[in-house]
Amino acid sequence: QVQLVESGGGLVQAGGSLRLSCAASGSTLSRYVMGWFRQAPGKEREFVARITWSGTTRHADSVKSRFTISRDNAKNTLYLQINSLKPEDTGVYYCAAQNVRYRNPSTVAAEYDYWGQGTHVTVSS
């Protein structure tokens, strides 16, 4: 069982930055790939970025130049640094954990096992 709690969202002007955090708790977190997804109003949840326990990352092409995922294993915390925010970045950002003991890391939301409650990001133009 893994519990995830996101924080750091808010209202930001276009061009600004935010750092989202996700505090994780539970056993054997080293078995989990951690990911960020987002869901804009009226749209499906989409993959943003993921990171393995060893620090290997993958970012969606749409955010690669502006978003950076990282994790602090000692603090059991996941981060998403978002720069040069755009109005289309508005949405709910979710932290998720995928048990990869018997699977490959994924970018598909349905393959993640645990989810946080989400944190809202609103970007004004």
Side-chain angles (χ1 to χ4, degrees):
Q1 194 81 355
V2 177
Q3 293 79 41
L4 304 170
V5 179
E6 303 96 334
S7 61
L11 173 62
V12 184
Q13 286 191 329
S17 297
L18 279 176
R19 189 175 81 155
L20 307 184
S21 299
C22 172
S25 60
S27 62
T28 325
L29 291 175
S30 59
R31 292 180 182 172
Y32 291 86
V33 162
M34 304 298 295
W36 286 101
F37 291 78
R38 67 182 179 183
Q39 189 165 17
K43 295 188 177 180
E44 292 189 355
R45 194 168 299 188
E46 66 171 349
F47 168 75
V48 173
R50 70 160 195 242
I51 186 168
T52 66
W53 181 259
S54 62
T56 301
T57 63
R58 179 172 176 175
H59 296 78
D61 289 342
S62 60
V63 305
K64 196 173 293 185
S65 62
R66 300 185 296 118
F67 290 24
T68 303
I69 190 172
S70 61
R71 67 192 288 176
D72 185 331
N73 292 334
K75 295 182 179 179
N76 288 337
T77 302
L78 178 72
Y79 302 100
L80 185 68
Q81 178 68 41
I82 310 175
N83 298 324
S84 302
L85 277 156
K86 303 176 181 180
E88 51 263 42
D89 294 320
T90 293
V92 181
Y93 284 69
Y94 296 93
C95 170
Q98 181 198 11
N99 190 325
V100 291
R101 189 175 185 188
Y102 302 111
R103 295 180 292 178
N104 293 324
S106 175
T107 62
V108 178
E111 296 185 7
Y112 280 71
D113 303 293
Y114 299 100
W115 292 84
Q117 81 289 350
T119 186
H120 289 258
V121 173
T122 302
V123 184
S124 62
S125 58

